Amino acid sequence: MSKKQEPGMAWNMQKLNKIFAFLSVAFLVTVVWVFLDDYIRPWKAVQLKGMEIKKQKLAEKIKAEGELINQEKLAQLEMQLEASQKTVDSRKKDIEVAEEELRVVKKDLKNETIVKGIANSQVSALTFQYGVAHAEHASNADSLYKKLHVKKKEFAESSERMKILQAKEKELKRKLRSYEKEVADTQKSIENITGTKELLMQAKSQLDVNPVFVLRNLPFIDFMDPTLKIQQVVLDNITDDRYFRHVPKVDRCMTCHVFIDQEGYEDQENPYKTHPNLDLMVGAKGKHPMKQFGCTTCHGGEGHRVNDFNSAAHMPHSDAQKKEWEEKYNWHEPHKVPIVQFRRGQYEAGCVKCHNNVEYIPEGTVVNEGKRNIRKFGCYACHKIEGWEHNRKPGPSLEKIASKVSKEFFMNWVWSPKSFNKHAKMPQFFNQTNNNSPEFVKKNITEVNAIAEYVFEKSKKYKPFAKYTGGNIERGKKLVRQVGCMGCHGVEDFAPESKKVDAFVGPYLTGTGSKVKNPDWMVSWLLKPSHFQEDTVMPSFRLSNKEANDITAYLMSKKNEKFEELKFEGMDKSVRDELLVEYFSAFDPEEVAKARLAKMSDHERTMELGYRSVGKYGCYSCHSIEGFDGRAPIGPELTKLGSKPLTQFGFGHEKVEHHRDKWIHAHLLNPRRWDNGADKPFKDLLRMPQFYMTEKQASDITVALLGQVSDRVPVTGVKQLDKDEAVVAEGMKVVTKYNCIGCHQIDGDFGDILPLYEDDINQGPPRLVGQGHRVQSDWFNYFLSNVYPIRHFDKDFAGSPIRMPSFNLSNEERNKLVALFQHKSKQKTFENLPAKVEWLPGERRGALKLIESLGCNTCHSGLPGSISEPTAPNLKYAKRRLRPSWIKKWLSNPQAIMEGTLMPSFWEDGESMDTEVFGGDADKQMDALVKYLQEIGEDKFSPNQK
């Protein structure tokens, strides 16, 4: 059969035509599909709905504005406008004449402007020509001079005509305005009433979906001026790492979150809701305006991707929300996105990368709690975290431990801290899910024995300097409650109060009598903690011998008899040797390892295993132990944990969602879980201990750790501390180290112990409000080294009032604390106090009258006529303690500085309670009192200074 093809053709053209036709149609469909896919974007539907919501809001505002309009007045004005318009109509002929005259004047003025311009140019040209001719003594100089004067005269005449025409123009315009003045004034009055409503209606009309709207958003031409379009901010001061190159961050979240930075949409559902904290975030007047900081800087995720809901890598905060998103948005796991969005409640993790140079981040409630828990559990000790290097070891020194506790207690404590003290911060290493088999338990027991032998062998000798002579248990109990111990310690007998304070710097005081083996040690420790440990943060409360003995009697009476009965199993030397061979054979053959072991004595073997076990479990990270100075932390660095690739997290066989935050949270709750189902030898078992932290503690720490990212934020994007903030940040490191905030509230923040003084906050530690303005720097430095009582307390409230302890501060630390408050209040270092007070006539006499009339001497000591039992500070020492400017500020309104203070306000709202002295002039009265305090003031820092 012959082929149906044209002569000279290799193919059947009919078939080819069909194939090309099909391909052409397919290509056309594909092109249309591509354009439609590009045009019909999900975010456009979001914006359309946003427009409807905005129209509803504007309609509500229009209605509200309409209700505010005085309809009666508006009707009167409209009638007045109508009458005025009739008056104007009656003057129509006059207006037309005036308008014609104005038209002629404007025409003449335009012509005269041209004439004047020509004359001016001619004058300029002739001036130049005459100047040249005169300088060169040319023959035509005189004729040029005459022409110049003629043109100057013409220019002057033209200028005069212009002035006449301009005056006539002004007069005609004034005349026309007077004809229409009544109408203009009435229209202005109407606009004042209805202007806001008209503007709202105009704004609403711009949202109408009309033919113009459709035209602007049609395919192919919507690139010119569409109303539906991607919104974005480009941040030059913050960058993204895109394929090994840092480029300015681009955020387009506001394409869907259309009202995120606008007030009035707080009642809408997402994505149409207003940001919950505009003053702090995204608001134009907030601290982090959207145009400068964007969205994903804090929230994480892919802000430049806005095709649909999944593009930005949203993450659900609960299973219920996950299910909702799957049904509503077809949400799926963003596996290929390296940094997904933070879940709800984790957003403060985004603060860390920019605010990494401070102890606490302002207004960062969750992340600050996470950082507090990192300190509480001592995470920074085993894991390096950049910016945390200044923190002290979280555990007590073990360099003199043998003089404090028995070896039996030590081993039982190391084995199971919470069996002795359920509030213990010391984590549990042993008897965990991955090492509780009989074989591993035997090895762990051997390790604990070896650790105890090593630590006690290395323990330095210590002899207490004080003797316990007996004390009163009840008095000791009251002292512990009242002097301030609970700012750092929880106490067994005050469990509800301890829960309120949630102190963690010191150990929870329970069972102390079963822990401390010698009451002499306890008395010596209470009297002078630095005598036992030089670098301790435990301060001296300047206790008397009687007080120290009473507290010792109380603490030593608290026993844990069940724990005392425990007898720790002895060391199995064969297991010890087996463990040592394992260590030695890590780099040598087993035979060499056994030979090395054989050369060691029994004691050497125990010490070697003890040394290696201390290193294995990282005891030295939290405790000072001889032989481990300068050794690196045992755990992996956490500085960039928030950017660690998900593939580097080992999820093992655990049913934990494969997300960075889920792994961290699960790990904190049970660090050994990843060994479940894994057949590991003893030496390879996971060693991170169990802290038994709560869900909330784990969640807060997770937020703080998620903020530890590798993002390189340019210098322009990081929070740059000014000179005052930098000094404050350094001072806060000292505040945190010594837990000053456990007792003191600083400018409204912290003060953990203050809830114990709800009945009378003035009986608690003083609240440090504007402390740098309040006290003089040199006095403050002296006070930190020479603490003395300043306040007088209500003896009925507390038989032994709270007292400021004496800390073992270095000179550098004292200076940092003083500078902290000075720079926080932006005050100069020293006050220029006058050598002699200069009184105005009658001023001193007025000050004495005020002291009497206002009753200052009924509370304060140091004043004429002061009572024998004062309730307020001695004002003789105010001269070197308080800044004069602060004294006046305090007198003017004490409650404004310190709410709840017992100090009354004698000049409320600037009006004096004594209207006779200085005619009741408040400023003169307060100035006189400040001067008087300067005059009577002792020229020394305290009553104890010689």
Side-chain angles (χ1 to χ4, degrees), residues 552-711:
T552 298
Y554 167 66
L555 293 177
M556 296 300 288
S557 71
K558 310 310 295 180
K559 303 278 189 179
N560 187 333
E561 295 177 359
K562 189 175 180 181
F563 192 82
E564 286 182 9
E565 294 172 0
L566 297 175
K567 298 298 177 185
F568 201 76
E569 187 177 334
M571 180 186 294
D572 187 325
K573 293 183 179 181
S574 63
V575 175
R576 176 198 65 187
D577 294 347
E578 179 187 340
L579 290 171
L580 285 174
V581 169
E582 271 189 24
Y583 280 119
F584 295 158
S585 60
F587 300 103
D588 292 317
E590 189 172 333
E591 289 184 6
V592 176
K594 288 181 178 178
R596 181 180 172 184
L597 179 67
K599 294 178 182 178
M600 300 173 71
S601 66
D602 185 74
H603 178 70
E604 288 174 336
R605 295 180 184 187
T606 301
M607 290 298 102
E608 181 68 21
L609 181 60
Y611 176 80
R612 289 182 178 271
S613 297
V614 167
K616 173 184 177 181
Y617 294 107
C619 312
Y620 63 87
S621 294
C622 292
H623 305 276
S624 294
I625 302 173
E626 186 180 329
F628 289 89
D629 291 341
R631 190 153 171 176
I634 186 176
E637 186 172 352
L638 301 181
T639 302
K640 300 177 182 178
L641 183 66
S643 296
K644 183 177 178 180
L646 194 60
T647 52
Q648 294 181 16
F649 288 89
F651 286 87
H653 302 286
E654 290 291 286
K655 292 181 179 179
V656 175
E657 287 184 47
H658 282 218
H659 293 289
R660 192 179 286 105
D661 60 320
K662 295 295 185 181
W663 187 94
I664 296 172
H665 186 265
H667 185 72
L668 291 169
L669 292 175
N670 182 5
R672 307 288 180 86
R673 70 193 316 150
W674 316 115
D675 276 350
N676 291 343
D679 184 18
K680 286 186 174 182
F682 180 74
K683 64 184 178 64
D684 292 337
L685 295 176
L686 292 173
R687 288 166 287 165
M688 178 164 164
Q690 173 61 276
F691 287 90
Y692 298 106
M693 59 181 69
T694 65
E695 285 276 348
K696 185 178 186 307
Q697 288 170 335
S699 295
D700 292 342
I701 293 176
T702 299
V703 171
L705 293 179
L706 284 173
Q708 296 292 147
V709 294
S710 61
D711 297 17

Side-chain angles (χ1 to χ4, degrees), residues 344-632:
R344 187 191 301 172
Q346 297 177 347
Y347 304 141
E348 290 178 14
C351 306
V352 178
K353 61 176 174 284
C354 295
H355 296 268
N356 58 4
N357 46 9
V358 293
E359 294 291 281
Y360 294 97
I361 298 172
E363 300 187 57
T365 52
V366 178
V367 71
N368 284 340
E369 195 61 29
K371 295 177 81 169
R372 184 178 188 269
N373 283 318
I374 287 175
R375 288 191 181 90
K376 178 176 183 177
F377 295 110
C379 311
Y380 62 86
C382 290
H383 302 273
K384 179 183 176 182
I385 309 175
E386 283 185 15
W388 290 72
E389 296 84 355
H390 62 279
N391 286 280
R392 65 183 181 88
K393 288 181 180 289
S397 171
L398 301 183
E399 292 177 326
K400 299 176 185 176
I401 190 65
S403 62
K404 180 180 178 181
V405 303
S406 67
K407 193 180 295 184
E408 186 70 31
F409 173 87
F410 181 88
M411 290 188 290
N412 284 319
W413 165 261
V414 170
W415 183 260
S416 180
K418 287 194 180 289
S419 64
F420 173 74
N421 180 358
K422 67 180 181 179
H423 302 284
K425 300 189 297 294
M426 166 89 173
Q428 185 157 335
F429 289 86
F430 309 108
N431 205 25
Q432 296 298 299
T433 54
N434 69 338
N435 64 359
N436 59 1
S437 66
E439 177 193 353
F440 291 166
V441 168
K442 208 168 197 179
K443 290 182 177 182
N444 286 152
I445 289 172
T446 302
E447 288 177 321
V448 172
N449 274 279
I451 290 171
E453 293 297 333
Y454 178 85
V455 170
F456 274 71
E457 173 82 13
K458 297 295 182 180
S459 179
K460 298 173 184 177
K461 291 184 178 180
Y462 173 75
K463 183 179 180 181
F465 67 87
K467 287 285 184 182
Y468 174 62
T469 57
N472 185 291
I473 292 175
E474 283 304 313
R475 280 203 305 265
K477 180 179 177 180
K478 287 182 180 178
L479 283 166
V480 167
R481 169 64 175 80
Q482 293 172 352
V483 298
C485 306
M486 294 186 70
C488 292
H489 300 274
V491 183
E492 177 184 3
D493 285 330
F494 303 106
E497 293 93 332
S498 297
K499 189 173 182 180
K500 279 185 180 180
V501 178
D502 190 27
F504 68 87
V505 173
Y508 197 96
L509 301 179
T510 179
T512 311
S514 300
K515 176 180 179 180
V516 177
K517 65 181 184 180
N518 185 353
D520 293 347
W521 182 93
M522 180 60 74
V523 174
S524 300
W525 172 255
L526 291 170
L527 290 172
K528 190 177 181 181
S530 60
H531 187 264
F532 176 74
Q533 183 179 334
E534 290 183 8
D535 63 347
T536 183
V537 295
M538 166 82 174
S540 166
F541 281 88
R542 301 178 305 285
L543 299 168
S544 65
N545 285 330
K546 180 182 178 183
E547 288 174 328
N549 275 275
D550 287 343
I551 293 176
T552 298
Y554 167 66
L555 293 177
M556 296 300 288
S557 71
K558 310 310 295 180
K559 303 278 189 179
N560 187 333
E561 295 177 359
K562 189 175 180 181
F563 192 82
E564 286 182 9
E565 294 172 0
L566 297 175
K567 298 298 177 185
F568 201 76
E569 187 177 334
M571 180 186 294
D572 187 325
K573 293 183 179 181
S574 63
V575 175
R576 176 198 65 187
D577 294 347
E578 179 187 340
L579 290 171
L580 285 174
V581 169
E582 271 189 24
Y583 280 119
F584 295 158
S585 60
F587 300 103
D588 292 317
E590 189 172 333
E591 289 184 6
V592 176
K594 288 181 178 178
R596 181 180 172 184
L597 179 67
K599 294 178 182 178
M600 300 173 71
S601 66
D602 185 74
H603 178 70
E604 288 174 336
R605 295 180 184 187
T606 301
M607 290 298 102
E608 181 68 21
L609 181 60
Y611 176 80
R612 289 182 178 271
S613 297
V614 167
K616 173 184 177 181
Y617 294 107
C619 312
Y620 63 87
S621 294
C622 292
H623 305 276
S624 294
I625 302 173
E626 186 180 329
F628 289 89
D629 291 341
R631 190 153 171 176

Side-chain angles (χ1 to χ4, degrees), residues 778-790 804-806 814 881 941:
D778 48 356
W779 173 87
F780 193 20
N781 191 293
Y782 168 86
F783 177 75
L784 292 172
S785 298
N786 305 274
V787 179
Y788 68 93
I790 298 173
M804 167 77 180
S806 297
R814 280 197 306 276
R881 183 168 74 92
F941 293 128

Side-chain angles (χ1 to χ4, degrees), residues 825-896:
S825 299
K826 294 180 170 54
Q827 295 293 312
K828 57 187 178 182
T829 305
F830 298 109
E831 289 284 332
N832 295 319
L833 300 176
K836 183 181 178 182
V837 175
E838 298 292 336
W839 292 99
L840 297 174
E843 195 175 18
R844 189 178 190 280
R845 186 170 59 255
L848 290 170
K849 286 182 179 178
L850 285 169
I851 289 171
E852 191 66 34
S853 66
L854 300 179
C856 308
N857 50 13
T858 61
C859 295
H860 290 279
S861 57
L863 296 173
S866 289
I867 59 176
S868 57
E869 292 190 5
T871 58
N874 189 332
L875 294 182
K876 273 196 173 183
Y877 299 97
K879 176 182 178 180
R880 295 303 302 274
R881 183 168 74 92
L882 304 176
R883 296 181 188 259
S885 58
W886 182 87
I887 296 175
K888 184 175 180 180
K889 181 181 178 182
W890 173 253
L891 290 173
S892 65
N893 193 349
Q895 293 293 332

